[in-house]
Amino acid sequence: MAVPLLDVAAQNLALEAELQDAFTRVLHSGRYILGEEVSSFENESATCCGTVHGIGVSSGTDALLLALMSLGIGPGDEVLCPSFTFFATAGSIARTGATPVFVDSHANTFNLNAEDAHGKVTERTKAVLPVHLFGQAADMTAIGQLAKAHSLHIIEDAAQAQGATWEGIPVGGMGDFGAFSFYPTKNLGALGDAGLLTTSNDTLAERARVLRNHGMQPKYHHAHVGGNFRLDELQAALLRVKQTKLDEWIALRTGNAAQYQSLLAGTPDLILPAAAPGHSWNQFTVRLPNRERRNALAAHLRAAEIGNEIYYPEALHQQPCFAYLPTATCPVAEQLADQVLSLPVFPEMTEDQVAEVTQSVSTFCA
Ligand SMILES: *Cc1c(COP(=O)(O)O)cnc(C)c1O
């Protein structure tokens, strides 16, 4: 039995009639940019995240960039971020002209190590940008203490963690800003690119809204240079349909992860992800002892037509585009890049498919 890494078409086709209705509604409205669908989606999303404001944007990357711009971060500033994450986290920092300062991760949670961050603070450090990687919240208690001790802004990269919580609090509601992505493979996926910024700070929300639309306020008057970071009405309307299913999908992801945890427990040379409460399981990521074994398991699964992916094979502090930065010490990030492999955990997976993946992994490890 072939098992895909995920099946976004199946998820969307199950909602075909509602998605068609949303499309028709927008088509007939004649309003395609920043209308009622966007503002309703913003309000509904803010409610989910427990924030005052939601600001729909064009992608998760643009959400990060807009958050940094709204905080006035730019050349001469340093921003702490994990090295073990998707590129957009650090890429957005670099695009403002600020310097990404790479912080190591905890091997058991894949998330930013606040103690290491502490040692990398300088008088130029303006913000910390933790990532809730694979759907698991970073240690926001430790990160909150770090930020407080050094007067840093916090931007949460919650792109992979829609619906996750830290000690009961939704991600995206604990920093100055939360940045979400609705890339089709995320927990809440659009039918294209889309993103969201969350904040409970009225001043920052206003700044972000203005910068989202070329810094224009009032019409054709520009006090600051912004960009076109707007969310489409169409994507907002489609996301509103899908958002009503998010809790259900996360419960299904959690069920799949729990099944893996019990079926794969005790498998030799296989380290399972920590099953922390509040995890939203965008990925189920296991670890092997080294790169050779990891690559061999990936090949074994591929041969059995079982989807898998290496998120991420290279830590960001080792990327050629960041060679201009001072050398960063992130040994755990390097180790994780050698060890990780993500298995299918998507909501529509059947119990048999989970069993099939488990069987194949167990056979390889035995
Ligand atoms: C997906 C992702 C982003 C970027 O989101 P896009 O919508 O693809 O621009 C940023 N950070 C992380 C950690 C991501 O996984």
Side-chain angles (χ1 to χ4, degrees):
M1 189 204 315
V3 184
L5 181 60
L6 76 175
D7 191 345
V8 290
Q11 177 169 96
N12 293 328
L13 288 172
L15 297 168
E16 189 165 5
E18 290 106 310
L19 293 170
Q20 296 277 15
D21 285 350
F23 172 77
T24 304
R25 203 166 65 224
V26 174
L27 175 68
H28 285 260
S29 77
R31 175 99 195 230
Y32 305 128
I33 301 287
L34 298 187
E36 299 232 324
E37 299 290 346
V38 168
S39 53
S40 298
F41 176 65
E42 290 177 336
N43 291 334
E44 287 154 13
S45 303
T47 304
C48 288
C49 295
T51 59
V52 177
H53 304 279
I55 301 150
V57 294
S58 31
S59 69
T61 304
D62 286 340
L64 290 169
L65 184 61
L66 185 55
L68 291 157
M69 288 170 72
S70 302
L71 290 168
I73 287 165
D77 297 334
E78 293 177 358
V79 179
L80 300 160
C81 74
S83 175
F84 189 70
T85 175
F86 178 60
F87 179 77
T89 312
S92 305
I93 298 168
R95 284 174 64 196
T96 66
T99 303
V101 174
F102 291 110
V103 177
D104 213 358
S105 295
H106 290 292
N108 59 338
T109 63
F110 309 107
N111 279 327
L112 185 127
N113 181 331
E115 205 177 310
D116 187 53
H118 200 85
K120 290 173 175 172
V121 171
T122 73
E123 69 280 0
R124 290 167 176 260
T125 312
K126 290 286 152 52
V128 56
L129 208 172
V131 181
H132 306 304
L133 203 67
F134 304 148
Q136 176 165 14
D139 182 345
M140 292 307 293
T141 308
I143 290 162
Q145 285 162 356
L146 168 85
K148 199 165 178 201
H150 301 285
S151 303
L152 308 179
H153 295 295
I154 301 175
I155 300 168
E156 297 175 63
D157 183 341
Q160 297 184 8
Q162 179 95 1
T165 55
W166 172 256
E167 294 184 346
I169 305 169
V171 298
M174 292 171 278
D176 296 274
F177 279 115
F180 292 90
S181 165
F182 307 116
Y183 185 81
T185 65
K186 303 293 163 88
N187 281 0
L188 177 61
L191 276 68
D193 279 310
L196 181 87
L197 260 189
T198 50
T199 183
S200 291
N201 180 314
D202 296 343
T203 310
L204 289 178
E206 176 61 15
R207 224 178 278 165
R209 283 185 192 284
V210 172
L211 289 172
R212 169 176 70 174
N213 199 14
H214 293 296
M216 180 164 76
Q217 194 186 48
K219 219 169 187 188
Y220 305 122
H221 181 78
H222 304 261
H224 302 281
V225 177
N228 173 359
F229 303 128
R230 300 181 301 248
L231 173 64
D232 292 347
E233 279 287 280
L234 185 56
Q235 293 301 342
L238 300 170
L239 284 164
R240 290 182 69 201
V241 171
K242 296 191 71 179
Q243 190 153 50
T244 62
K245 307 286 179 193
L246 181 65
D247 289 347
E248 199 179 302
W249 288 330
I250 290 173
L252 290 166
R253 288 176 179 277
T254 305
N256 294 339
Q259 213 188 329
Y260 277 137
Q261 300 278 10
S262 74
L263 294 172
L264 289 171
T267 306
D269 282 352
L270 190 77
I271 304 174
L272 297 174
H279 202 313
S280 66
W281 298 106
N282 185 244
Q283 301 296 340
F284 188 90
T285 304
V286 298
R287 288 190 284 146
L288 281 294
N290 55 51
R291 187 168 281 250
E292 268 166 15
R293 286 294 285 167
R294 188 271 312 279
N295 291 352
L297 175 57
H300 172 84
L301 293 173
R302 242 187 340 267
E305 294 184 72
I306 292 171
N308 63 89
E309 192 64 70
I310 299 167
Y311 303 116
Y312 297 94
E314 236 180 304
L316 295 186
H317 69 283
Q318 297 182 310
Q319 297 287 349
C321 67
F322 294 130
Y324 70 94
L325 294 172
T327 308
T329 309
C330 300
V332 175
E334 291 173 28
Q335 181 198 321
L336 289 173
D338 283 341
Q339 295 182 327
V340 290
L341 190 69
S342 294
L343 305 176
V345 71
F346 61 98
E348 296 74 22
M349 250 183 126
T350 63
E351 232 171 86
D352 285 349
Q353 286 179 314
V354 177
E356 178 84 7
V357 178
T358 304
Q359 185 64 48
S360 192
V361 171
S362 305
T363 306
F364 174 86
C365 291

